[in-house]
Amino acid sequence: MHPLVPVAVTATTEIIRGALRLRVNVAYTQALRAAGLLPLVLPVLDPEDADAALDGVAGLVLTGGEDVDPARYRATPHPKLGDVHAGRDAFEIALVQAARARGLPTLAICRGVQILNVALGGTLVQDIATEWTNPNVHDGEWARTARVHEVEITPGSRLARALGTERPVVNSMHHQAVGTVAPSLAMVARAPDGIVEGVEWPTDDWWLVGVQWHPEELWASDEPWDRNLFAAFTEVVRRGVTVS
Ligand code: MN
């Protein structure tokens, strides 16, 4: 029996019943625990705390949430821009830089892949429905577990190997997406309309995978792909831990 290995999971803050509270969807912690990891939810801290926040964990998960402030990628706000969270943006950008400096295995999901791309110098599509030509519908009234569009994954990529498929059908709950891919990242997944659905670090010195869909909502799905992704993350996280 392997011991549970701790990984940091980002969260947001939100006023709920009159108090500012820390919040993260339970699906993330369930999916990580099911994969054999111990999810530890990080509060939103100052950027200068990011490096210390990663001490004692063997991986980082950047979770979904608000739109990234377009000022972070030198764009003016689109009329369809949703809620932004300046403090969360600042902390998560610092977490990306701290994780990169220590080569900490990192899984970025939805907003996570967006803040990752911005942290490394890329841009975002602020509103797919109004800014993209002939888009698929990426944000509908469907269930969070509904597999609604196909994704084409680059053969041989870390993401393809992790999923065990090059053509998954995924869930989709986003109105923004990666725009210009950061120079240091490899684009490894696209929806049929060309929207970026996955990126990764191209070399073996950092296990970094980002996806635009929500694998944490699909870990108990009939199809094994999203479980496989968490299993691949767990494997690399465990590899980084020295058992004394
Ligand atoms: Mn999508």
Side-chain angles (χ1 to χ4, degrees), residues 2-222:
H2 289 285
L4 291 177
V5 178
V7 294
V9 180
T10 62
T12 192
T13 57
E14 184 179 348
I15 295 173
I16 301 170
R17 294 190 305 282
L20 187 62
R21 300 169 199 256
L22 191 67
R23 183 188 67 71
V24 65
N25 291 358
V26 168
Y28 293 101
T29 56
Q30 285 179 329
L32 291 162
R33 178 59 186 83
L37 296 170
L38 180 65
L40 300 179
V41 178
L42 285 182
V44 179
L45 298 169
D46 288 338
E48 51 265 37
D49 297 334
D51 193 55
L54 297 179
D55 285 346
V57 298
L60 171 65
V61 179
L62 297 165
T63 59
E66 300 85 354
D67 289 352
V68 176
D69 185 343
R72 288 284 182 184
Y73 47 99
R74 292 167 303 283
T76 54
H78 184 284
K80 296 281 190 184
L81 181 71
D83 292 341
V84 297
H85 190 318
R88 188 180 179 190
D89 287 352
F91 182 54
E92 290 185 345
I93 286 169
L95 283 175
V96 169
Q97 287 154 355
R100 181 186 183 181
R102 52 175 85 192
L104 190 73
T106 298
L107 179 60
I109 295 173
C110 196
R111 166 196 159 85
V113 72
Q114 296 169 7
I115 195 77
L116 167 72
N117 190 54
V118 169
L120 297 176
T123 70
L124 302 182
V125 177
Q126 287 195 53
D127 186 61
I128 296 169
T130 56
E131 291 189 294
W132 201 257
T133 306
N134 299 322
N136 298 123
V137 180
H138 288 271
D139 195 10
E141 295 300 310
W142 41 61
R144 300 179 68 83
T145 52
R147 295 185 182 273
V148 295
H149 70 69
E150 194 174 56
V151 171
E152 188 173 343
I153 317 275
T154 303
S157 62
R158 187 176 284 129
L159 180 57
R161 286 181 276 127
L163 294 168
T165 178
E166 294 162 7
R167 286 293 174 94
V169 181
V170 302
N171 56 358
S172 193
M173 291 169 270
H174 58 111
H175 85 110
Q176 298 202 322
V178 167
T180 303
V181 177
S184 54
L185 292 175
M187 195 284 294
V188 293
R190 279 193 193 277
D193 57 9
I195 286 288
V196 175
E197 291 273 345
V199 300
E200 65 188 42
W201 193 255
T203 52
D204 287 339
D205 52 318
W206 188 19
W207 195 100
L208 168 69
V209 169
V211 294
Q212 183 58 67
W213 72 92
H214 283 275
E216 81 284 2
E217 298 282 0
L218 299 168
W219 68 273
S221 171
D222 288 344

